[in-house]
């Protein structure tokens, strides 16, 4: 197994190019199931989750090409014929559930293994299923599989999500795209990744009103497949936020390129509260860190508020703050697995339910630590940048699910980080 070895750096300096967003790419790849053409996608990140979804689609009969042109991936689902997403794939990536809506809408049936729990919480998919039932699908859970059928097609209807769900919104938008009639989703997710999905569908002939708001109105095509033109995936705001935290924690000036500053409002404003300042252009952000890091209070919430996917990285930065920071996790019940690993490095953190209290100013020491989920992994890397001695981050397959060439990007700005084999 591979692990990352990180040694303390004095400071980082230089530019980091941000990759395409993993969480935008996943629904966009699933969206190709609705297409009658082979779809060209630019700026897909090279991360394991993308390979997993492409493999899932090719197991079902689709084909893809990532090699002919390094900048463009083509996905051709016109030959897709199998409609069962097996446990073997779904267990490695929960977002596989994203094929349910589009496959059901196109074929009238679909089976997807139930994703099950994961390290950060239960993460049920009940809201996806309830909405599909409202659209006329019949859903059975049999032997660990969701079996969905809609022999007469899906019908547009009014859906009110009890909770805001990102992949749930994406799934139902895709199902509604081919449904008969108009679907309204109230309490829809407003994440930029959902916005891009809606914008591309809208440009492909599926009329969607309310894009970027909590109420989406989708005019279905009554089963007609759509033509999707080439598009480019938006920059990864979580990857960008992670490298801004690398600048903040190591008190280094780092410039991100190919980034979308508009998507990072909550992250930038928290880093400003912590003392950093920024210069920005349309697609670059430079962090000017402060020597003293201020303590903060963070509550994770849906976009445009502070993202849960940045919580672990900010906790790493907060260990170096002057004073006591409070982080409240509102979205996932168990997203504090990184706490015990940071404590092993010397961080002073106490947990009370969904709230972590971080007493800043502790000296961190390098040691062996274990990645427990995707974003927890990057928090440990950030801590490793400033910990005394050597930090070995194990189980980095979590990190590889969502960070494109993390160690290469950090090496390019002067970090002492290498990928080694156990
Ligand atoms: C997506 C992101 C993930 C991010 C999360 C929250 C992708 C591939 N993943 O995950 O990185 O951390 O949004 O921003 O885009 N819920 C239910 N029932 C459902 C669906 C969700 O109770 O049917 C709950 C979840 O358990 C959670 C909350 O709703 O507590 C939000 O989850 P959701 O937005 O669905 O997260 P994901 O889409 O899985």
């Amino acid at each position: 197994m591979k692990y990352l070895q990180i040694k303390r750096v004095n400071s980082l300096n230089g530019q980091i190019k941000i990759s395409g967003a993993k969480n935008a790419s996943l629904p966009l790849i699933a969206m190709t199931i609705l297409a009658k053409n082979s779809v060209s996608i630019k700026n897909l990140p090279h991360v394991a989750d993308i390979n997993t979804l492409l493999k899932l689609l090719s197991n079902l009969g689709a084909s893809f090409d990532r090699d002919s042109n390094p900048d463009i991936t083509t996905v051709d689902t016109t030959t897709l014929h199998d409609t069962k997403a097996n446990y073997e794939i779904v267990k490695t990536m929960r977002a596989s559930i994203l094929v349910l809506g589009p496959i059901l809408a196109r074929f009238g049936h679909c089976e997807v293994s139930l994703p099950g729990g994961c390290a950060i919480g239960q993460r049920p998919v009940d809201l996806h299923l309830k909405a599909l039932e409202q659209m006329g699908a019949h859903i059975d859970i049999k032997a660990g599989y969701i079996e969905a059928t809609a022999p007469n097609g899906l019908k547009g209807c009014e859906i009110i999500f009890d909770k805001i769900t990102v992949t749930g919104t994406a799934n139902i938008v895709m199902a509604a795209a081919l449904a008969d009639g108009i679907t309204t989703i109230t309490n829809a997710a407003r994440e930029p990744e959902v916005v891009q999905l809606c914008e591309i569908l809208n440009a492909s002939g599926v009329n969607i009103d309310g894009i970027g708001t909590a109420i989406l109105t989708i005019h279905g095509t009554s089963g007609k497949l759509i033509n999707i033109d080439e598009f480019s995936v938006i920059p990864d705001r979580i990857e960008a936020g992670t490298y801004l935290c690398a600048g903040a924690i190591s008190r280094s000036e780092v410039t991100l390129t190919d980034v979308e500053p508009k998507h990072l409002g909550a992250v930038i404003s928290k880093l400003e509260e912590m003392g950093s300042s920024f210069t920005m252009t349309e697609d670059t952000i430079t962090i000017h860190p402060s020597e003293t890091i201020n303590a903060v209070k963070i509550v994770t919430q849906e976009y445009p508020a502070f993202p849960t996917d940045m919580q672990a990285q900010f906790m790493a930065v907060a260990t170096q703050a002057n004073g006591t920071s409070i982080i409240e996790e509102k979205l996932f019940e168990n997203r504090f697995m990184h706490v015990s690993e940071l404590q092993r490095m010397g961080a002073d953190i106490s947990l009370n339910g969904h709230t972590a209290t971080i007493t800043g100013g502790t000296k961190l020491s390098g040691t062996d630590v274990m990645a427990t989920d995707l974003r927890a992994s990057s928090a440990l890397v950030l801590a490793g940048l400033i910990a005394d001695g050597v930090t070995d981050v194990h189980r980095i397959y979590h990190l590889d699910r969502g960070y494109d060439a993390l160690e290469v990007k950090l090496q390019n700005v002067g970090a002492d980080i290498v990928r080694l084999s156990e």
Side-chain angles (χ1 to χ4, degrees):
M1 271 220 273
K2 304 281 187 204
Y3 65 102
L4 287 176
Q5 183 163 86
I6 306 143
K7 294 184 186 143
R8 186 186 168 84
V9 277
N10 283 331
S11 72
L12 308 174
N13 185 15
Q15 294 198 344
I16 299 179
K17 182 176 186 301
I18 298 305
S19 297
K22 169 185 86 78
N23 285 354
S25 304
L26 293 170
L28 292 170
I29 292 170
M31 176 193 71
T32 66
I33 296 168
L34 307 174
K36 59 181 175 200
N37 61 316
S38 166
V39 181
S40 299
I41 310 178
K42 283 165 119 173
N43 208 29
L44 267 191
H46 288 271
V47 298
D49 273 8
I50 300 304
N51 299 337
T52 303
L53 186 55
L54 290 171
K55 184 166 162 218
L56 191 166
L57 292 185
S58 66
N59 285 352
L60 303 182
S63 61
F64 64 91
D65 178 5
R66 286 207 91 171
D67 301 323
S68 307
N69 180 337
D71 297 328
I72 297 180
T73 301
T74 54
V75 186
D76 184 355
T77 62
T78 55
T79 49
L80 193 147
H81 52 84
D82 194 351
T83 58
K84 180 169 180 176
N86 282 314
Y87 176 66
E88 283 315 309
I89 290 234
V90 179
K91 74 172 186 203
T92 64
M93 189 184 67
R94 302 180 47 79
S96 307
I97 191 73
L98 282 165
V99 302
L100 177 61
I103 289 185
L104 179 64
R106 174 166 151 195
F107 294 95
H109 51 88
C110 180
E111 281 176 71
V112 179
S113 169
L114 264 178
C118 86
I120 65 174
Q122 278 191 350
R123 305 186 77 177
V125 290
D126 57 313
L127 301 175
H128 305 227
L129 303 186
K130 192 174 146 202
L132 290 172
E133 279 178 333
Q134 281 180 268
M135 297 178 79
H138 181 79
I139 309 262
D140 268 333
I141 307 290
K142 275 197 204 144
Y145 278 79
I146 301 161
E147 291 184 9
T149 50
N152 302 319
L154 296 171
K155 308 271 174 274
C157 67
E158 256 190 56
I159 289 158
I160 302 177
F161 278 128
D162 291 341
K163 256 189 196 176
I164 299 175
T165 161
V166 176
T167 47
T169 304
N171 227 341
I172 300 311
V173 165
M174 290 188 279
L178 293 199
D180 203 3
I182 296 173
T183 303
T184 308
I185 305 176
T186 300
N187 208 20
R190 290 180 290 158
E191 270 64 5
E193 296 77 16
V194 173
V195 169
Q196 184 172 32
L197 172 72
C198 292
E199 279 172 348
I200 291 168
L201 284 171
N202 198 46
S204 311
V206 179
N207 198 305
I208 304 184
D209 299 322
I211 296 177
T213 75
I215 302 181
L216 294 171
T217 305
I218 304 119
H219 301 253
T221 66
S222 305
K224 271 204 252 43
L225 296 181
I226 55 178
N227 192 76
I228 302 176
D229 289 339
E230 179 179 296
F231 61 86
S232 182
V233 177
I234 56 170
D236 195 313
R237 64 194 166 99
I238 306 301
E239 187 199 23
T242 302
Y243 292 126
L244 293 178
C245 285
I249 199 170
S250 63
R251 278 89 161 172
S252 306
E253 192 165 292
V254 176
T255 296
L256 310 185
T257 67
D258 299 77
V259 67
E260 176 49 89
K262 283 204 286 283
H263 295 164
L264 280 146
V267 165
I268 286 174
S269 105
K270 270 300 151 197
L271 285 170
E272 279 173 346
E273 258 181 77
M274 294 175 100
S276 297
S277 58
F278 295 87
T279 43
M280 293 181 241
T281 67
E282 211 171 75
D283 62 354
T284 68
I285 305 177
T286 301
I287 176 167
H288 311 284
S290 59
E291 210 29 61
T292 308
I293 299 174
N294 305 322
V296 272
K297 183 163 180 353
I298 291 174
V299 180
T300 66
Q301 266 166 323
E302 294 86 0
Y303 189 86
F306 188 90
T308 173
D309 285 352
M310 285 303 304
Q311 181 254 101
Q313 300 90 317
F314 268 75
M315 192 178 296
V317 181
T319 66
Q320 300 310 299
N322 201 355
T324 301
S325 299
I326 310 278
I327 299 184
E328 190 184 346
E329 172 56 57
K330 286 254 204 183
L331 287 175
F332 294 110
E333 66 265 30
N334 193 27
R335 203 169 197 178
F336 280 134
M337 306 274 281
H338 43 283
V339 168
S340 45
E341 299 303 302
L342 289 171
Q343 283 168 336
R344 297 190 61 251
M345 297 178 75
D348 183 349
I349 306 170
S350 63
L351 270 184
N352 183 3
H354 291 180
T355 304
T357 304
I358 305 108
T359 306
T362 47
K363 217 168 176 33
L364 300 185
S365 336
T367 183
D368 288 285
V369 285
M370 205 109 80
T372 48
D373 72 58
L374 171 57
R375 306 304 170 185
S377 321
S378 58
L380 300 176
V381 171
L382 297 178
L385 292 174
I386 50 109
D388 278 340
V390 178
T391 303
D392 287 339
V393 182
H394 301 272
R395 296 200 183 162
I396 52 166
Y397 52 86
H398 288 294
L399 192 119
D400 292 336
R401 285 189 38 217
Y403 284 95
D404 189 346
L406 173 126
E407 73 270 23
V408 178
K409 292 188 185 193
L410 284 174
Q411 281 160 7
N412 288 343
V413 290
D416 189 342
I417 177 169
V418 282
R419 180 177 290 251
L420 299 171
S421 296
E422 309 265 5

